[in-house]
Amino acid sequence: ASVNQSFDKDIFIRTTKSSKITLLFAPNDLLIVDENSKIQLKIISDKEMRIEQLYGKTYSVVEKNDKRDFVISISQSIIKALGTEFLIEKKEGSADINISVYKSSVAFASGDMKEQIYEFEISNYNITSRKIVTRKMSDSEKEANKIYTGEKTKAQELVRQRRQSQGSDANSANNQS
């Protein structure tokens, strides 16, 4: 994918049991699509990132950027990152959306309801009743994101290595001319 690219409605990413995928977006944003999940890429541009989550789990790491929105929509609800790390889970066929915020906050909106979810809070939104319940995370729930922070570290290291190798390739080309 390239910058400022819009996608057809047919571009989907689906993971199955025991599989996941990590997507890196410039400059340092990351989306981990966990097993048994399905998303649709809508827009990737310097002004906005729009992803539709159909079901499953996604973990997002988003740097604060006032010039670009990072938005995940799910079941006619919108979760907007505000420089944050957060997990969204919706089981296939379920009316519940769970949002866990591990850093900073996210803005949640569904219809005329708007809610800010803060660091170390978990919100459960029921699509049918249109009610949201937010509570503080337990210590064990705070630790649950370690699996994702490990994935984040690996992905960032791969990007660093790739940039380093591209830099040395460019320097070699310049030295040969």
Side-chain angles (χ1 to χ4, degrees):
S2 61
V3 174
N4 296 321
Q5 181 170 350
S6 293
F7 294 95
D8 298 18
K9 60 183 178 189
D10 300 324
I11 304 298
F12 293 93
I13 295 174
R14 186 174 145 261
T15 58
T16 57
K17 186 176 179 184
S18 303
S19 69
K20 66 174 105 175
I21 187 167
T22 301
L23 303 171
L24 295 167
F25 305 104
N28 292 311
D29 297 338
L30 164 100
L31 178 73
I32 298 171
V33 183
D34 212 334
E35 65 180 29
N36 297 318
S37 299
K38 187 174 184 180
I39 66 166
Q40 179 183 8
L41 298 177
K42 296 283 201 174
I43 299 170
I44 296 177
S45 77
D46 54 354
K47 293 188 173 119
E48 67 180 329
M49 305 286 292
R50 291 209 173 266
I51 297 158
E52 173 81 20
Q53 182 171 334
L54 299 156
Y55 60 84
K57 278 187 196 180
T58 59
Y59 186 83
S60 302
V61 179
V62 182
E63 288 188 349
K64 185 166 178 57
N65 185 342
D66 294 331
K67 295 178 182 168
R68 183 171 50 94
D69 290 337
F70 187 102
V71 175
I72 296 180
S73 57
I74 182 168
S75 298
Q76 299 177 4
S77 300
I78 294 172
I79 296 102
K80 181 179 176 185
L82 303 172
T84 187
E85 291 187 29
F86 63 102
L87 176 77
I88 300 172
E89 180 177 17
K90 181 185 179 295
K91 293 184 175 147
E92 193 171 11
S94 173
D96 291 318
I97 300 170
N98 293 304
I99 305 157
S100 303
V101 178
Y102 294 96
K103 184 177 179 186
S104 190
S105 65
V106 298
F108 174 84
S110 186
D112 58 356
M113 180 195 324
K114 292 181 179 15
E115 181 98 9
Q116 189 101 0
I117 306 166
Y118 295 97
E119 188 167 321
F120 299 130
E121 288 185 338
I122 296 175
S123 289
N124 173 272
Y125 176 70
N126 184 281
I127 299 161
T128 308
S129 69
R130 299 184 43 80
K131 292 190 178 177
I132 191 165
V133 176
T134 301
R135 65 176 176 79
K136 293 286 183 192
M137 281 185 197
S138 68
D139 289 339
S140 63
E141 288 169 325
K142 289 177 186 176
E143 297 295 314
N145 79 324
K146 286 198 176 191
I147 186 169
Y148 299 106
T149 56
E151 293 289 326
K152 173 183 85 170
T153 302
K154 282 187 228 172
Q156 289 169 333
E157 179 60 21
L158 285 170
V159 168
R160 188 190 64 73
Q161 288 172 1
R162 184 167 183 169
R163 285 182 182 153
Q164 232 175 11
S165 93
Q166 288 173 340
S168 33
D169 290 346
N171 288 338
S172 294
N174 288 339
N175 291 337
Q176 290 175 0
S177 38

